[in-house]
Amino acid sequence: MTSSNDLFLDKDETLRRMVATDSFGTYFGVTQKVFDQVWKPLHSPQGNSIIYISMEIGADLDVFNPVADKLRELGVSDGADPAVSPFVHKYLFGPQKIPNYGGGLGILAGDTLKSVASCKLPVLAISLLYKKGYFTQLVDSRLGQISCSQEWHPAETPGLYLLRHPRNPELPLTIEVPFFDEADCVVSGYARLWLQLEINESLDHFVPKILLDYSLPESPSWIREASNHLYDASSEKMKATQRRMLGAGIAPVMDVLGLTAKVFHLNEQHGVVVILHVIAEILLNRLGLDYQSRATDQDILAAADEAAQRIVYTIHTPVKAGHDRFEKSIYAGLSHSFCQRILALLARDDEHPSMFNFTAMAMRVNRATNSVSRLHKLVTRKQFPQFADKISAITNGVHHLTWISPAKAAVFDAFPELKGWRQDPSIFAEARTLAANKRFATYFLQAWTEDTGKLIDFINRMLAEHRIQAQMTWIDPPNFLSHLSDDAPLSPEVFTLGFARRFSTYKRADLIFDDIDTLAGIVTELGHPVNFVYAGKAHPADEPGKHLIRLVLASQQELYEKTGGLAKLVFIPGYDMAIAKLMVAGVHAWLNCPKRPLEASGTSGMKAAMNGVPNVSIMDGWWIEGYHEGQTGWKFGHEDPIDQANLSEDPNTLRYAEDAKSFYELFPKILKSFYEPKERSNYLDKCIMNLILNIPIFNTHRMVAEYAENYNLPLPAAIANRMKKFRSLYRSNAE
Ligand SMILES: *Cc1c(COP(=O)(O)O)cnc(C)c1O
C-alpha cells in the first residue's frame, strides 16, 4: 500500500487493490502481493515459522484498526464498488468488539501479535472462538457484579472470515479433532475455522489468527457447550475439554492449511496438549504405525527431549489458580490411553499423585521457559527449583500504537526528535532533549488535559445514564454519585487516580480503602479534592473477587461523606480495552497494589507509562524495572526478599494493614506534588521521563525481539537487524 505508485491510483482502484483471495476465501485490507508473502514462509518446506497458541486473544477494533484508519484517510464512505463495498461497510459500521478475551493474558497475546505483524515475523496464531465470548458485566450497588451472557457475531465483525471448503465453497472448511472415551473409542469434535487478519499499521504485513469454532451440530453437545464461554469453570471436565479443544486442534489445522511451523509458542500452558501430538509424531516416525504398543518409557522420554526443541513456553503467574491440573480420571474420558501414558511420565504432580499437572509438563518439555518480568523469574525459580536453570525472563510489553491516545500520538508526530516512533518505539530513548523542551511539555500537557476531559465526560455521562436506567430497570446504579442531582459530579481539574484490573484476591483492589478514616483524614486535612476511578471484572466463579467489587462500592458513600464531598470514588462497569485506553490516558496517576510478589508482570501500568502517566505501585512485577527513583512515579509497600516470600492468597497472608499504611504515608506527597504550583512542573517532568525511560522498553516490539532469539529460526537480514536493535536496548535477563 505504501508504494509510490499509489499516489497515482484513484480511490476506487486503491480499494480494489486491498482485496486478496486464496482457495479458502476473499479478504480485505492488504494487497494480493502482501497476502501471498505472508503465507509463503508459513508453507515453506524448511518450516522456519512459529505457531503461537493462546486460550484468548484480545484485539478490539475500537482501540486499533489500521484498515478503518486507511478508509477514513481515503475519505471512503459507503456504497462504491460492489467488489469492495461489503468489506468497506463492515469496517466502517460493523461491531468493534471481539469479546474473545478475559483480561491481561489475552490482551498481551493481541498486543504481541500486532508487534509481530509490524516486525514481519513468520508467525500464525491459533486460539478458540467462543460463541458467547467472556461475559458482560452489569453492576448493581447492592448485588455487586452481575455477569451476563453475550452474543456476538463473528460474520459481521470486520477482519474475520469463515474459511470455505476449497472444492465446495458453499461449505465451510472444517477439521475433525479426535477425542476419546474411556474405552479409547474416538469421539470426534468438529470445528470451523475463522481467519482473522491482524494487519499492521502500514498495511504491508499481517498475522493470520485462526480461531477454532466447535459450535457445529456435528460436534457432541459437551464439546459444543465448551465452545460457548471463555474460561467456563462450571466443571473440571468443562475446563479440561476447553484445553484439549485448543491443544488437539493444532495438528488438524496444520494439515488442512499446509502449515509447516517447526516451533510452537505456548502463551501459558493451556495449549499443552500440542506437545502430546509432537511426541506421538516423533514416535510414529521412529517406531512405525504400532508405536503405541512398541514404545518403552525410554522411547517416550527421548521423544519428549526431541519435541522440547520445538516448544517455547511463557509462564504468566505464580498464582495457583492460573495453572491447570486435572484428575487423571477426567482426562481418561477425553484422551487416548497412550496420551495418558505420556502424561503419566511428563505431567506428574508430586503433591497430588491422582492428578496431571499441565504446568509441570510445559516446564519439562521446552527449549525455553520464560517468565514475564525479572522479579517473576526469581519467583518462578523458587516455585520450580528443579527447573531453575532454564527459567529466564522476557519482561512483558504493550503495543504502543494501541495504547497511546490519539491526542498524545499527534504531539509525538509533531516533534522531529521522535520521527519514526510509530515503527520504532525505541526512538524515545534517543530523545532525552525533550525533557528540557518547554514547548514539548506544553503540548504534552494540552493533550493530557484533552484525554482527562474525555475520561471525565465519559464518567459524568455514565453517571447520568445510570440514574435514568434506575427508573427503567431493576438495577440500582453502581455509583452513589448517580443519586446526587449534580449534572457533572466529576471535574477534570481534580487529581484523578485510576485503578482497573481483574478483581482477584491478590490484586487487593480495596487496599487503599482499608482504613477509610485515615484516607479521608488525608484528603480533608490537605483540602485537595480527589477522584478515584475504578473498573474491572471478577471471573463469574470467583466469589472472593466479586466480594472485592462489593467492598469498593460500599466505600463510596462513606468516603464521600467523611471528606465533605472532596473524595469521589467511581466504579465503571464493563471494563474492556476501550475503557482501559480512556483510563490509562486520562488519569493523573495509575495505582497498582497487589500482594508482592504475586503480580508476575502487570501491563496496565505500562499502558499508563506509554501515555506519560506516572505509576503509584507496590514494588512488584514490571514496576521493579520501570521505577526510577524520583523520575517515573512512586513506590509503596513492603519489599521483602523473594526467597522469604509467601505465595499464598490466604486472607491472613495478604498484609493489608501494613501496605495500606505505607500508601497513606505516601499519598499526601503525591497530592502536594500535583496541586502545589511550585511542584507542578516536577510532576510534568515525571510524565516526560516515563516517555523517555519506559516507552523504549515496555513495548511489545522489544519483547517480540527477545522472543525471536528464543525461536532460533533464521530470519531475513533486514528483519533480523531490526530485532537486534530492539534487543540491544534491554536485557530482561540481566540480573
Ligand atoms: C491491560 C488490561 C488488563 C491487564 O491489566 P493488568 O495491569 O495486567 O492487571 C486487563 N483488562 C483490560 C481490559 C486491559 O486493557
Side-chain angles (χ1 to χ4, degrees), residues 417-727:
E417 292 89 333
L418 296 175
K419 190 166 183 303
W421 71 275
R422 288 172 183 270
Q423 290 73 42
D424 179 358
S426 73
I427 294 286
F428 285 87
E430 296 153 27
R432 276 190 169 258
T433 53
L434 289 180
N437 184 330
K438 288 252 157 46
R439 210 168 56 90
F440 183 74
T442 307
Y443 281 177
F444 174 82
L445 183 58
Q446 268 170 16
W448 196 15
T449 307
E450 187 182 325
D451 288 336
T452 307
K454 261 193 178 164
L455 170 66
I456 300 298
D457 276 354
F458 173 85
I459 294 171
N460 285 335
R461 264 184 283 122
M462 172 193 86
L463 293 171
E465 273 163 26
H466 285 172
R467 198 183 313 149
I468 297 167
Q469 207 178 60
Q471 292 150 11
M472 294 166 27
T473 69
W474 49 266
I475 298 168
D476 197 47
N479 287 289
F480 162 71
L481 291 174
S482 284
H483 294 296
L484 305 182
S485 57
D486 194 342
D487 272 345
L490 262 53
S491 154
E493 321 272 276
V494 167
F495 175 74
T496 301
L497 183 64
F499 174 101
R501 48 201 80 236
R502 229 163 18 88
F503 273 63
S504 61
T505 314
Y506 79 89
K507 296 196 187 235
R508 303 188 302 189
D510 58 334
L511 182 86
I512 67 169
F513 311 115
D514 192 50
D515 180 351
I516 290 212
D517 288 328
T518 301
L519 182 63
I522 293 168
V523 174
T524 19
E525 191 170 313
L526 291 173
H528 292 315
V530 183
N531 299 324
F532 297 96
V533 178
Y534 276 58
K537 293 174 171 179
H539 187 282
D542 179 5
E543 290 305 329
K546 288 193 280 191
H547 182 63
L548 284 176
I549 295 180
R550 285 194 295 271
L551 284 178
V552 169
L553 300 180
S555 306
Q556 292 175 342
Q557 183 167 0
E558 191 182 353
L559 190 62
Y560 184 84
E561 285 170 357
K562 285 188 169 159
T563 57
L566 281 176
K568 294 171 178 169
L569 165 57
V570 179
F571 188 90
I572 307 177
Y575 186 43
D576 67 3
M577 294 181 77
I579 291 173
K581 188 167 180 174
L582 261 183
M583 287 180 73
V584 293
V587 297
H588 298 120
W590 191 251
L591 176 67
N592 182 35
C593 47
K595 173 187 165 180
R596 174 179 152 113
L598 294 184
E599 187 63 273
S601 165
T603 50
S604 60
M606 299 175 183
K607 300 168 193 168
M610 297 247 147
N611 281 282
V613 169
N615 276 261
V616 182
S617 174
I618 295 282
M619 283 302 255
D620 200 3
W622 81 284
W623 191 231
I624 311 278
E625 295 162 67
Y627 172 77
H628 298 264
E629 179 150 12
Q631 294 193 80
T632 51
W634 297 271
K635 63 169 179 170
F636 68 100
H638 83 81
E639 290 182 51
D640 291 355
I642 296 310
D643 52 7
Q644 294 156 29
N646 173 314
L647 302 180
S648 154
E649 278 195 283
D650 186 283
N652 301 320
T653 67
L654 292 176
R655 302 176 77 163
Y656 265 69
E658 181 186 356
D659 285 349
K661 181 161 171 280
S662 170
F663 177 80
Y664 301 142
E665 282 160 15
L666 171 67
F667 194 44
K669 296 187 194 117
I670 299 176
L671 287 179
K672 284 184 199 155
S673 74
F674 182 81
Y675 278 113
E676 289 182 8
K678 64 176 195 311
E679 289 203 43
R680 194 65 198 260
S681 77
N682 221 330
Y683 201 101
L684 203 54
D685 289 345
K686 278 199 175 60
C687 300
I688 292 168
M689 288 316 284
N690 266 294
L691 309 179
I692 294 172
L693 294 174
N694 284 338
I695 293 183
I697 293 167
F698 301 102
N699 64 78
T700 32
H701 281 34
R702 185 273 312 154
M703 184 196 85
V704 157
E706 291 202 62
Y707 276 110
E709 211 170 30
N710 266 217
Y711 299 145
N712 198 29
L713 297 177
L715 292 170
I719 296 170
N721 285 337
R722 200 150 168 246
M723 295 295 91
K724 219 156 132 192
K725 181 184 178 201
F726 294 147
R727 271 201 302 269

Side-chain angles (χ1 to χ4, degrees), residues 163-414:
L163 296 187
R164 301 276 154 198
H165 197 285
R167 284 181 307 280
N168 195 350
E170 299 301 299
L171 296 176
L173 184 68
T174 54
I175 55 169
E176 182 177 350
V177 181
F179 289 68
F180 296 88
D181 67 12
E182 273 88 353
D184 276 353
C185 295
V186 178
V187 183
S188 289
Y190 295 88
R192 304 188 283 193
L193 273 52
W194 294 84
L195 170 62
Q196 188 183 7
L197 310 187
E198 187 59 62
I199 300 176
N200 72 5
E201 62 281 4
S202 28
L203 311 189
D204 63 355
H205 199 88
F206 65 91
V207 175
K209 298 188 263 188
I210 300 291
L211 305 178
L212 303 181
D213 173 3
Y214 283 85
S215 67
L216 295 178
E218 300 90 302
S219 291
S221 62
W222 51 276
I223 290 181
R224 274 203 316 270
E225 225 170 282
S227 74
N228 279 336
H229 297 278
L230 170 62
Y231 299 133
D232 189 331
S234 51
S235 70
E236 288 302 299
K237 166 108 191 252
M238 176 68 84
K239 279 162 91 175
T241 303
Q242 290 194 327
R243 305 317 185 249
R244 193 172 160 83
M245 282 158 64
L246 179 65
I250 311 294
V253 170
M254 291 181 74
D255 277 349
V256 77
L257 297 181
L259 304 173
T260 53
K262 274 202 290 238
V263 175
F264 301 97
H265 185 162
L266 295 175
N267 185 42
E268 214 20 298
Q269 32 69 47
H270 302 123
V272 83
V273 169
V274 71
I275 295 178
L276 301 177
H277 287 262
V278 176
I279 291 174
E281 193 184 279
I282 292 168
L283 290 171
L284 170 72
N285 289 337
R286 198 168 285 167
L287 304 175
L289 278 174
D290 54 349
Y291 70 93
Q292 293 180 347
S293 51
R294 289 182 53 192
T296 63
D297 286 358
Q298 269 60 42
D299 290 330
I300 293 174
L301 291 171
D305 283 343
E306 196 180 323
Q309 290 313 307
R310 302 181 56 186
I311 308 293
V312 170
Y313 166 48
T314 305
I315 178 165
H316 283 270
T317 180
V319 176
K320 285 235 159 70
H323 297 289
D324 294 333
R325 43 160 84 87
F326 297 107
E327 285 295 335
K328 291 178 174 171
S329 56
I330 288 177
Y331 228 72
L334 289 173
S335 79
H336 193 276
S337 54
F338 188 70
C339 283
Q340 290 157 59
R341 236 187 101 196
I342 304 178
L343 287 166
L345 288 170
L346 298 168
R348 262 195 332 269
D349 189 315
D350 296 334
E351 267 174 58
H352 307 91
S354 69
M355 294 180 134
F356 290 136
N357 183 329
F358 278 13
T359 300
M361 166 130 155
M363 275 280 171
R364 282 196 181 101
V365 188
N366 65 65
R367 59 172 297 118
T369 304
N370 296 293
S371 51
V372 289
S373 72
R374 287 178 179 169
L375 189 78
H376 182 224
K377 175 171 82 174
L378 303 180
V379 178
T380 312
R381 285 180 171 177
K382 179 176 145 90
Q383 276 187 304
F384 300 94
Q386 68 278 37
F387 302 112
D389 288 347
K390 69 179 199 178
I391 296 167
S392 60
I394 296 183
T395 302
N396 279 345
V398 296
H399 181 244
H400 63 294
L401 297 176
T402 296
W403 296 108
I404 290 171
S405 75
K408 292 186 190 112
V411 175
F412 301 162
D413 283 338

